[in-house]
Amino acid sequence: MNKRIVILISGRGSNMRSIVEACAAEGWPARVQAVISNRPDAAGLTFAAQHGIATAVVDHKACASRDAFDAALAAAIDAHRPDLIVLAGFMRILGADFVRRYEGRMLNIHPSLLPAFPGLHTHRRAIDAGCKVAGATVHFVTAALDHGPIVIQAVVPVLPGDDEDALAVRVLAQEHVIYPRAVRWFVEDRLIIERGIVKQRGDEPQLVMSA
Ligand code: GRF
């Protein structure tokens, strides 16, 4: 049976796009049922609609409280009966109850080598700290922001002269490699979490190193 995926975005949606395209090109046992944005102007909604994927907007500005937003978002998600929820550049902090509801079936991508640099401005912070490597992490979502069992990481060099835009481009290219891979492992039932560590049935590496 095909796994049902719902993807949450807030903007450009390039990670969402990489997942939609890999799902089709590689014939995953899955279907992206819906793309939901908290922002009505998210560019990624156009791509989704053009590819025949249901779209919805749950505007946080129209919700009276964080709890009301979480409830409206959960209702929009549950309408599609997903097996997996994928946060792809989704820029709202979700409450503990919301996270618990989807525990073990919600993934996020964060543009740093977690547990370093949770939160915003990861590339600038990595450069300012003199890091020689940076990267991205796909992890299961837990109540702590940008924290949770790590599925796969990509490492890229921080090059002399990098500014945050240059580093972001290098990291994003690897995000588009590791996020589809992590989602495929999930829909192929290959991920196991043991005492907070994610193992993968199979021999594909959970670390990608890029020059
Ligand atoms: C990505 O760098 C992602 O890691 C971060 O926000 C950015 C979203 O980009 N959380 P896109 O919307 O997927 O293009």
Side-chain angles (χ1 to χ4, degrees):
M1 255 259 284
N2 271 355
K3 292 276 197 311
R4 302 170 66 88
I5 302 172
V6 167
I7 305 182
L8 306 189
I9 63 169
S10 295
R12 177 178 57 184
S14 69
N15 278 292
M16 174 271 295
R17 182 177 178 148
S18 72
I19 290 164
V20 168
E21 289 176 344
C23 183
E26 297 171 5
W28 298 353
R31 184 169 191 280
V32 178
Q33 298 290 338
V35 172
I36 301 174
S37 171
N38 64 306
R39 297 179 56 113
D41 59 350
L45 290 171
T46 308
F47 171 87
Q50 284 169 348
H51 287 74
I53 299 168
T55 61
V57 174
V58 180
D59 188 346
H60 60 278
K61 290 189 187 139
C63 294
S65 65
R66 279 186 183 275
D67 284 350
F69 172 70
D70 282 4
L73 184 59
I77 292 170
D78 291 349
H80 297 282
R81 295 178 287 108
D83 300 291
L84 174 65
I85 295 93
V86 173
L87 308 184
F90 184 69
M91 301 303 283
R92 299 299 296 175
I93 293 176
L94 298 163
D97 286 345
F98 182 97
V99 170
R100 210 168 298 121
R101 181 187 192 90
Y102 302 111
E103 195 176 352
R105 55 188 180 112
M106 183 156 62
L107 295 173
N108 181 44
I109 191 160
H110 183 73
S112 81
L113 294 172
L114 291 175
F117 308 126
L120 297 174
H121 309 301
T122 54
H123 305 306
R124 190 167 75 218
R125 288 156 66 205
I127 292 168
D128 289 351
C131 293
K132 306 306 173 218
V133 293
T137 304
V138 178
H139 64 96
F140 281 96
V141 177
T142 58
L145 179 69
D146 296 330
H147 200 85
I150 291 171
V151 178
I152 185 169
Q153 290 186 304
V155 179
V156 304
V158 179
L159 299 177
D162 267 354
D163 60 13
E164 62 182 305
D165 290 344
L167 182 54
V169 168
R170 195 174 309 120
V171 171
L172 189 66
Q174 296 309 310
E175 293 184 40
H176 297 161
V177 173
I178 63 172
Y179 213 177
R181 199 171 294 178
V183 172
R184 175 168 55 79
W185 291 342
F186 185 96
V187 301
E188 291 176 347
D189 285 326
R190 285 167 61 181
L191 296 177
I192 311 147
I193 309 176
E194 278 175 11
R195 288 181 292 279
I197 308 289
V198 182
K199 308 236 168 91
Q200 183 233 137
R201 292 196 201 94
D203 57 6
E204 291 181 65
Q206 286 172 271
L207 166 63
V208 172
M209 308 270 274
S210 134

